[in-house]
Amino acid sequence: MTAIDPITVEVVGSSLNSVVEEMGEALVRASYSTNIKERRDCSTALFDKRGFTICQAEHIPMHLGSFIEFIPYIIESCGTDEIRPGDVFMGNDAYAGGATHLPDIVLAEPIFFERELVAWAINTAHHADFADRGHSHIFQEGIRIPPVRLYREGVLQEDLREVFLLNCQVPRERLSDINAQLAANRLGARRLNDLFAKYGREQMLAAWRALQDYSERKMRAGIAAIPDGVYRFSDTFDSNQYPASLEFDVAIGVEGDSMVLDFNAPAQVSAGLNMVYTSLLSACYYSVKSAVDPTILPNSGLARPLRIAAPKGSILNCVHPAAVDGRIAACQRVADLVHGALSQAIPDKVAAAGNGCCTGAIFNGVRSNGELWVYLETIGGGGGARPTGDGMSGIQVHLTNTSNLPVEAMEREYPLTLLRYELVDGSAGPGEFRGGMGIRRMYRVEEACRFVVEGSRLRSRPWGLAGGRHGAGSRFDLGDGPGAFSGTRDLEPGQIVAIETPGGGGYGPPADRSRAMARADLLDGRICKDEAHHIYGLEDGR
């Protein structure tokens, strides 16, 4: 085994990070749909030839779940001897290939150096399609594609592409976005070949092993700093896609430098809220890393000290043919569970609950020229207060990391008008440090369309820590009074839709320090009196 000096390891690691970030920028800039070019709902990564993560860009933690079984599935089904330069594999199925839901299309390209397979460039992008679907089981949720060759030795398999496009509502967008994904992987392959040419095969492989071992050591050191014991936490999961509130719980066992996360949840449901096991893995890897040591490099080494379990056939570890389209909602609650449990052991490293959901607004209709259109947006909310400061307002939290869709982009491309886009006063959880505020978006429909909103924290609330109070929950108003809404609604021109997302929980009791901070902020002009009243409960003149 080739020895390698630490400086070279650091330089190679930084170079790999630059490669995946450049891949991501290429994908965003070359894409066509607003969901990718504006909201950046995509991720890029490099894997070694066996299918272990070398480096993942800091995009969307949830997307790791779409990667970690994709390459192993290809290797098992094809064998490495049958993989050729110029092959490109495409897939999206949650049960055959390791993806997590059907709108996330994964493309993987093998990377060869001196005619030997050495690595894979891989990316996924959320295609804003497959709207207006049922979610009783996965067969309703869109076309299912196991990892198959879109390109075979550089030759496009046109029949496969045409089958895929025929099942899409907006095929022009899909084709353009797929081409952007192809370009991103090809860029990654070129950049990695340049690194192999510079450092040589043995040095590069040795650096990868060293980086993965380093992530393992850092994760073990972080876990070893946590007192041994079993830490339990439970939380309520509710969604407008399912009538009942459900209880999730976790027991996290820490022993030395290893950790076991044992989840319990109800049986999988006839709704698109279920998670396959790879979704659970990606949610746990992110949640533990962010609490234990956020500086750990995002590669497969960080997973080695962790053991993760959930009952098979449950919402958190579903089996075929459970629907999975809205799995991000349950994944967000997994993050809340992990952080809630670890807050008992390392309270100075864990924030209160953030908004805890990924509120989705989906409109689709037919343009005057007969073309279908689909508008998808996930809306952020409040972040949880931290032991050292207020929670951030109007952000995506935890497993999702997308940007907002600018008003100008939405109104230019879709028959919608945004009447209000603002933070929700009173949504932040009070505390020594307050939670972040949620978002209110109010749309006016300009042409007839169909609409669905998907959200959580309608009946439950983002919890506070150390005496901090909970944040406000979600509210949806479709013109017939606020409250939970489920199913699909036909909207006519002029109808108004209002969506309010949850705030974050507070940290510490809302006592004298909070009042002193509020008064200081008022004097500095950083917040207005109305905001101070809503956040801290202050009366005018106090």
Side-chain angles (χ1 to χ4, degrees):
M1 186 175 292
T2 301
I4 186 168
D5 66 275
I7 294 176
T8 302
V9 172
E10 181 70 20
V11 172
V12 170
S14 296
S15 299
L16 294 171
N17 186 65
S18 295
V19 171
V20 293
E21 292 293 342
E22 187 180 4
M23 288 170 62
E25 289 304 310
L27 174 51
V28 168
R29 295 185 182 193
S31 60
Y32 183 86
S33 68
T34 57
N35 199 51
I36 302 172
K37 72 180 180 184
E38 300 284 1
R39 298 192 58 252
R40 307 174 71 90
D41 197 347
C42 57
S43 291
T44 54
L46 293 170
F47 279 63
D48 67 22
K49 68 177 183 180
R50 302 169 300 163
F52 291 103
T53 316
I54 300 169
C55 187
Q56 182 187 9
E58 293 185 356
H59 293 157
I60 299 176
M62 181 70 254
H63 284 163
L64 179 61
S66 296
F67 294 155
I68 53 182
E69 291 297 327
F70 199 85
I71 305 303
Y73 183 95
I74 294 171
I75 293 171
E76 183 178 350
S77 59
C78 298
T80 54
D81 293 341
E82 299 300 317
I83 298 169
R84 300 282 187 268
D87 287 351
V88 176
F89 291 84
M90 172 185 181
N92 71 342
D93 192 63
Y95 297 103
T100 59
H101 76 161
L102 302 186
D104 283 348
I105 307 295
V106 183
L107 262 63
E109 179 173 341
I111 301 174
F112 289 79
F113 178 72
E114 297 178 346
R115 298 188 298 277
E116 179 186 355
L117 175 64
V118 293
W120 293 80
I122 190 168
N123 68 64
T124 188
H126 185 128
H127 289 251
D129 215 297
F130 308 152
D132 195 14
R133 305 273 179 155
H135 298 289
S136 295
H137 47 72
I138 197 169
F139 295 106
Q140 295 180 332
E141 297 191 311
I143 184 172
R144 299 174 62 188
I145 309 169
V148 292
R149 286 180 177 87
L150 179 61
Y151 281 78
R152 186 181 293 271
E153 296 186 63
V155 178
L156 172 65
Q157 308 301 291
E158 295 188 27
D159 50 355
L160 171 62
R161 185 183 69 178
E162 293 309 308
V163 169
F164 169 68
L165 293 177
L166 187 63
N167 282 271
C168 296
Q169 291 166 277
V170 194
R172 183 178 65 160
E173 280 191 4
R174 304 290 69 75
L175 180 58
S176 297
D177 289 344
I178 289 291
N179 287 338
Q181 290 183 257
L182 289 166
N185 278 348
R186 287 169 183 166
L187 175 63
R190 287 199 301 272
R191 294 290 187 262
L192 197 63
N193 262 285
D194 291 343
L195 289 174
F196 267 80
K198 180 176 181 180
Y199 293 100
R201 176 185 177 279
E202 294 304 319
Q203 285 278 86
M204 286 293 292
L205 298 184
W208 294 354
R209 290 191 293 268
L211 290 166
Q212 290 165 335
D213 291 344
Y214 180 56
S215 290
E216 178 184 4
R217 290 197 302 273
K218 290 202 73 175
M219 178 62 84
R220 290 194 182 279
I223 294 172
I226 301 173
D228 285 1
V230 177
Y231 305 98
R232 302 179 186 275
F233 195 80
S234 62
D235 202 353
T236 300
F237 176 63
D238 63 273
S239 170
N240 62 324
Q241 299 179 65
Y242 191 74
S245 296
L246 305 170
E247 291 298 316
F248 294 173
D249 62 72
V250 67
I252 298 181
V254 176
E255 184 175 356
D257 62 359
S258 63
M259 180 182 291
V260 176
L261 297 92
D262 189 6
F263 293 88
N264 192 34
Q268 61 194 48
V269 295
S270 181
L273 300 171
N274 307 290
M275 298 166 50
V276 292
Y277 185 62
T278 53
S279 294
L280 180 63
L281 292 180
S282 59
C284 291
Y285 295 160
Y286 157 79
S287 302
V288 174
K289 173 181 179 293
S290 62
V292 170
D293 184 352
T295 68
I296 297 173
L297 299 177
N299 61 49
S300 60
L302 67 84
R304 295 172 186 168
L306 305 179
R307 297 292 179 269
I308 300 161
K312 207 161 188 178
S314 69
I315 293 178
L316 301 184
N317 185 12
C318 67
V319 296
H320 186 273
V324 294
D325 184 71
R327 85 283 186 241
I328 188 66
C331 288
Q332 294 283 63
R333 196 63 74 254
V334 168
D336 288 341
L337 285 171
V338 173
H339 289 166
L342 290 179
S343 70
Q344 302 165 34
I346 45 175
D348 58 327
K349 292 187 176 182
V350 178
N355 62 80
C357 58
C358 183
T359 306
I362 307 163
F363 300 80
N364 69 285
V366 182
R367 301 184 190 277
S368 56
N369 63 3
E371 290 185 356
L372 297 175
W373 62 274
V374 178
Y375 163 70
L376 162 70
E377 179 169 16
T378 59
I379 307 170
R386 298 155 290 166
T388 57
D390 295 342
M392 297 178 68
S393 296
I395 59 166
Q396 298 281 0
V397 298
H398 299 320
L399 276 300
T400 179
N401 193 31
T402 53
S403 301
N404 72 313
L405 183 64
V407 176
E408 299 83 356
M410 185 198 75
E411 294 184 345
R412 182 177 66 245
E413 301 204 29
Y414 304 105
L416 300 166
T417 299
L418 197 64
L419 302 177
R420 301 185 74 173
Y421 181 26
E422 59 195 359
L423 299 176
V424 181
D425 284 345
S427 60
E432 180 179 357
F433 297 104
R434 65 159 177 81
M437 289 182 281
I439 293 175
R440 179 185 294 111
R441 281 174 80 90
M442 183 180 292
Y443 309 83
R444 184 177 66 221
V445 174
E446 305 300 346
E447 295 179 10
C449 64
R450 289 167 74 81
F451 169 72
V452 63
V453 60
E454 300 173 348
S456 183
R457 292 296 190 193
L458 290 146
R459 296 180 291 276
S460 64
R461 299 291 181 265
W463 37 264
L465 278 179
R469 298 176 186 172
H470 62 72
S474 300
R475 287 184 54 174
F476 309 141
D477 188 349
L478 303 177
D480 49 8
F485 165 78
S486 60
T488 301
R489 183 74 60 89
D490 290 315
L491 301 179
E492 297 299 325
Q495 280 194 263
I496 294 174
V497 173
I499 297 173
E500 294 183 8
T501 64
Y507 195 101
D512 293 340
R513 184 175 175 186
S514 293
R515 299 178 186 276
M517 289 171 59
R519 293 191 186 98
D521 287 345
L522 284 168
L523 290 172
D524 290 346
R526 290 199 292 266
I527 60 175
C528 66
K529 288 186 177 181
D530 283 345
E531 185 178 352
H533 172 76
H534 282 295
I535 297 170
Y536 298 109
L538 301 180
E539 301 296 336
D540 288 343
R542 292 184 62 184

